[in-house]
């Protein structure tokens, strides 16, 4: 294993120190590295809080700022943050309008966020479960929450910035999650620093189809295929799951897992866009880049979110975070 490390035990705290220092104009670090929050809070706005295991950067800390999250709670690598982290974050960023937790559907995340919500007042939750690859995995009960979580956070962040109340925000989050589907494919494993070796073995001519963002198994191990063939199967799974809803305006998001060059991500985006548009989808908004990663894994996911006038306007609304910036 070759990584830039001082110690496996301090990799997260040292990374958080550097991250907040690099973006000190918009971010502040909570006590004991429990959370990252917006430096300047907006009074009377519903606070949006998310989090999860580290290793998926820039999700979630890189999405804290104007127009998105108010705080993010980082767990150890691929390990859920603890309820006391969520409680501390909620206390720090709740300015009186309540908090909405945005939670990826992994057992540890759901359990710990639910515990924190039960110990707080004025807290509601939205659970994301956009992955169509498998119904269950070793990490989840039901579908996994993956790259579509970013879409939910962006749209809800804009709505909260505009003054939407807690209950309507939760309903909007559930609607956006319901209109979002994702699937990924891995070409290599990732290497967790504490393990010091790849999470799984995969041959040079193989791919893991439908892989999760922690390296958990997908639909099957298969021979490596062309980009067009991979995109065809991913798009068919997404469109098949959406059914009749897979028509009209949509956001197409090609996401890298951390070890895939942008050149290849744009190639995959191009393949997926042609397939979707041939079948009645109109790609009106796009995002390409490594935003929901799996450490150093080579691979990508495709996310499709069906849009309407309201969600298009909210996607376009100004945002200023470490990872996403436009309209300001």
């Amino acid at each position: 294993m070759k990584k830039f490390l001082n110690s496996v035990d301090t990799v997260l705290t040292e990374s958080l120190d550097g991250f907040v220092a690099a973006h000190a104009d918009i971010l502040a670090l909570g006590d004991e590295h429990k959370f990252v929050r917006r430096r300047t809070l907006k009074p009377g706005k519903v606070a949006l809080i998310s989090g999860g295991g580290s290793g998926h950067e820039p999700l979630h800390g890189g999405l804290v700022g104007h127009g998105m999250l108010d705080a993010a709670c980082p767990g150890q690598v691929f390990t859920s943050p603890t309820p006391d982290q969520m409680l501390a974050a909620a206390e720090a960023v709740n300015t009186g309008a309540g908090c909405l937790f945005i939670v990826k559907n992994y057992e540890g995340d759901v359990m710990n966020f639910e515990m924190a919500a039960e110990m707080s007042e004025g807290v509601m939750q939205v659970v994301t479960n956009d992955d169509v690859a498998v119904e269950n995995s070793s990490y989840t009960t039901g579908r996994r929450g993956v790259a579509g979580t970013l879409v939910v956070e962006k749209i809800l962040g804009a709505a909260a910035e505009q003054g939407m109340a807690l209950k309507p925000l939760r309903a909007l989050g559930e609607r956006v999650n319901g209109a979002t589907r994702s699937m990924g494919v891995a070409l290599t494993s990732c290497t967790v620093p504490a393990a010091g070796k790849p999470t799984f073995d995969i041959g040079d001519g193989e791919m893991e189809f439908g892989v999760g963002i922690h390296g958990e198994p997908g639909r099957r191990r298969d021979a490596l295929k062309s980009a067009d063939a991979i995109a065809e199967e991913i798009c068919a799974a997404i469109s098949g799951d959406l059914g009749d809803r897979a028509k009209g305006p949509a956001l197409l998001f090609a996401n890298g897992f951390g070890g895939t060059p942008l050149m290849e991500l744009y190639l995959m985006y191009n393949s997926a866009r042609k397939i979707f548009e041939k079948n009645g989808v109109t790609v009106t908004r796009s995002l390409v880049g490594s935003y929901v990663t799996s450490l150093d894994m080579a691979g990508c996911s495709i996310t499709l979110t069906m849009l309407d006038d309201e969600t298009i306007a909210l996607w376009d609304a100004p945002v200023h975070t470490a990872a996403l910036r436009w309209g300001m």
Side-chain angles (χ1 to χ4, degrees):
M1 178 181 73
K2 291 183 179 180
K3 291 186 179 293
F4 293 107
L5 297 173
N6 293 312
S7 165
V8 169
D9 296 332
T10 61
V11 60
L12 176 57
T13 55
E14 290 180 285
S15 177
L16 287 170
D17 286 340
F19 171 63
V20 173
H23 301 285
D25 56 325
I26 59 173
L27 299 176
L29 187 61
D31 292 341
E32 301 176 9
H33 296 82
K34 287 183 177 180
F35 57 88
V36 175
R37 69 166 179 87
R38 289 172 65 161
R39 178 166 291 280
T40 303
L41 300 175
K42 185 174 183 178
K45 184 186 84 67
V46 174
L48 302 186
I49 301 171
S50 192
S54 297
H56 305 304
E57 290 78 15
L59 194 83
H60 292 275
L63 305 176
V64 173
H66 178 92
M68 287 197 78
L69 299 175
D70 293 276
C73 303
Q76 293 297 320
V77 174
F78 294 175
T79 302
S80 173
T82 57
D84 69 295
Q85 290 180 255
M86 294 88 158
L87 286 169
E91 184 176 308
V93 299
N94 187 350
T95 62
C99 297
L100 184 67
F101 290 163
I102 302 173
V103 189
K104 300 188 303 300
N105 190 33
Y106 288 91
E107 287 186 0
D109 290 5
V110 171
M111 178 180 67
N112 289 346
F113 271 102
E114 282 183 350
M115 289 176 62
E118 289 170 359
M119 293 185 282
S120 306
E121 292 185 4
V123 174
M124 292 184 176
Q125 297 187 76
V126 170
V127 176
T128 61
N129 59 353
D130 52 299
D131 190 2
V132 302
V134 290
E135 288 296 336
N136 290 286
S137 77
S138 54
Y139 287 75
T140 64
T141 300
R143 294 183 170 184
R144 303 177 292 215
V146 288
T149 308
L150 177 148
V151 182
V152 173
E153 291 176 354
K154 170 63 184 81
I155 291 174
L156 291 191
E161 206 74 50
Q162 294 172 13
M164 186 176 285
L166 184 56
K167 286 185 178 180
L169 273 173
R170 181 180 63 178
L172 176 62
E174 291 171 347
R175 181 160 66 87
V176 174
N177 176 68
T180 301
R181 299 290 188 276
S182 302
M183 181 181 280
V185 60
L187 307 183
T188 70
S189 174
C190 57
T191 300
V192 176
K197 61 181 181 180
T199 301
F200 59 87
D201 295 320
I202 186 167
D204 289 341
E206 294 180 319
M207 63 181 184
E208 184 75 24
F209 196 84
V211 71
I213 56 174
H214 305 93
E216 65 269 41
R219 288 190 170 188
R220 67 180 187 278
R221 182 72 54 88
D222 204 349
L224 183 62
K225 298 178 181 178
S226 70
D228 282 345
I230 294 169
E232 187 73 52
E233 187 165 351
I234 290 175
C235 294
I238 289 172
S239 295
D241 201 83
L242 283 168
D244 292 341
R245 289 177 292 173
K247 304 288 182 184
L251 163 71
L252 177 58
F253 173 21
N255 171 66
F257 285 152
T260 302
L262 267 173
M263 180 175 69
E264 295 175 33
L265 293 180
Y266 279 113
L267 189 154
M268 286 297 296
Y269 167 87
N270 186 56
S271 294
R273 179 170 184 145
K274 288 188 292 185
I275 293 164
F276 281 130
E277 292 201 325
K278 181 177 66 176
N279 291 292
V281 172
T282 304
V283 177
T284 59
R285 298 295 183 271
S286 304
L287 184 66
V288 180
S290 294
Y291 293 101
V292 184
T293 62
S294 183
L295 292 169
D296 53 350
M297 180 185 285
C300 76
S301 61
I302 299 295
T303 296
L304 190 74
T305 299
M306 306 313 299
L307 299 172
D308 55 29
D309 289 345
E310 179 187 19
T311 51
I312 288 172
L314 292 170
W315 178 263
D316 289 345
V319 60
H320 188 83
T321 69
L324 290 183
R325 298 186 181 194
W326 61 69
M328 298 186 70

